[in-house]
Amino acid sequence: KAGVTQTPRYLIKTRGQQVTLSCSPISGHRSVSWYQQTPGQGLQFLFEYFSETQRNKGNFPGRFSGRQFSNSRSEMNVSTLELGDSALYLCASSHTFRANTEAFFGQGTRLTVV
Amino acid sequence: AQTVTQSQPEMSVQEAETVTLSCTYDTSENNYYLFWYKQPPSRQMILVIRQEAYKQQNATENRFSVNFQKAAKSFSLKISDSQLGDTAMYFCAFIKPTSNTGNQFYFGTGTSLTVIP
């Protein structure tokens, strides 16, 4: 079956703009989590959605937001982009939110803010 | 707070040899899950191996095995018979299975492994 699909793969934005990233989970998976990966900070948890509800949120400013649709696809939005938002954004899908279910990652969206 | 430490930023190993990647973690939880993920240049994180903290037996997956020392909070990955395709960044990760954290991974900073032909 198809894996986790993230679009777009690459994105270049200007400081101050906003951006929306998309994640389509594996069919049947209802949990989607987002992570920011940077060389300096490593992988940091952004938020997790399950059945259209945000279940958990990491320590990021309010400029970072997300949502999940009824088909489990998720979007994350970053407003008022800063240079430090340049990163690889990864999403992971799993069948449930329980920790013993395997999470599958997408290939990420590489965001560059100039 | 949960922290995961990988003290080896870079490692290399000759093809067919064995290499061990180190990971330590800090948690006050008694029940949790530990993982090793591999991230090749394609950027996709791939699960290598998983260990449940309540299981004393070390997990193994073909050429990959772990040495899980719960008291020492240590979780090292051993790769036997290293292959060129093992070249990747390896991340150690932790999940605590409580109802309010779900699938929130805590990742280490990664170890870049290069397999030399």
Side-chain angles (χ1 to χ4, degrees):
Chain A
K1 55 185 174 181
V4 179
T5 303
Q6 290 189 245
T7 56
R9 292 287 306 278
Y10 300 90
L11 206 50
I12 300 175
K13 288 287 188 178
T14 303
R15 197 169 36 177
Q17 288 186 312
Q18 76 163 18
V19 67
T20 299
L21 312 181
S22 178
C23 173
S24 294
I26 290 172
S27 178
H29 285 193
R30 294 163 64 192
S31 172
V32 174
S33 302
W34 288 89
Y35 291 83
Q36 181 195 65
Q37 185 176 13
T38 60
Q41 299 296 319
L43 283 140
Q44 294 189 290
F45 173 76
L46 281 156
F47 24 65
E48 179 193 10
Y49 287 87
F50 180 79
S51 293
E52 301 178 67
T53 301
Q54 186 180 89
R55 297 193 68 254
N56 197 11
K57 189 177 191 304
N59 190 25
F60 277 81
R63 300 185 296 107
F64 291 80
S65 63
R67 59 178 175 169
Q68 187 180 33
F69 302 94
S70 58
N71 62 357
S72 294
R73 188 178 70 86
S74 177
E75 289 181 347
M76 68 163 280
N77 184 77
V78 188
S79 62
T80 319
L81 283 165
E82 300 176 359
L83 296 179
D85 298 333
S86 295
L88 179 66
Y89 290 88
L90 293 168
C91 93
S93 84
S94 55
H95 186 60
T96 75
F97 57 79
R98 298 190 187 283
N100 61 354
T101 57
E102 184 175 350
F104 295 84
F105 285 81
Q107 289 185 284
T109 294
R110 171 78 66 189
L111 171 65
T112 302
V113 181
V114 297
Chain B
Q2 274 61 229
T3 59
V4 179
T5 302
Q6 293 179 250
S7 59
Q8 304 153 313
E10 296 181 359
M11 293 191 72
S12 61
V13 62
Q14 292 290 138
E15 195 175 5
E17 295 294 308
T18 296
V19 64
T20 299
L21 280 55
S22 301
C23 172
T24 58
Y25 57 94
D26 186 25
T27 182
S28 58
E29 304 287 329
N30 187 51
N31 188 26
Y32 47 87
Y33 296 87
L34 294 163
F35 306 81
W36 279 97
Y37 275 90
K38 166 185 175 181
Q39 187 179 40
S42 67
R43 307 181 327 204
Q44 187 161 20
M45 299 280 277
I46 302 165
L47 177 65
V48 175
I49 201 165
R50 181 175 81 174
Q51 174 82 41
E52 291 90 343
Y54 62 86
K55 289 186 177 179
Q56 291 185 332
Q57 187 173 5
N58 289 324
T60 62
E61 283 288 341
N62 301 314
R63 298 182 295 108
F64 300 89
S65 61
V66 299
N67 183 4
F68 173 49
Q69 303 288 328
K70 190 173 183 179
K73 296 181 182 176
S74 170
F75 183 62
S76 61
L77 173 70
K78 185 172 83 170
I79 306 174
S80 304
D81 186 24
S82 297
Q83 300 175 0
L84 296 179
D86 295 334
T87 293
M89 184 73 85
Y90 287 80
F91 291 94
C92 179
F94 167 102
I95 280 184
K96 59 173 183 174
T98 57
S99 60
N100 64 337
T101 58
N103 287 327
Q104 179 178 346
F105 284 98
Y106 297 88
F107 285 96
T109 50
T111 296
S112 177
L113 177 67
T114 301
V115 179
I116 303 168

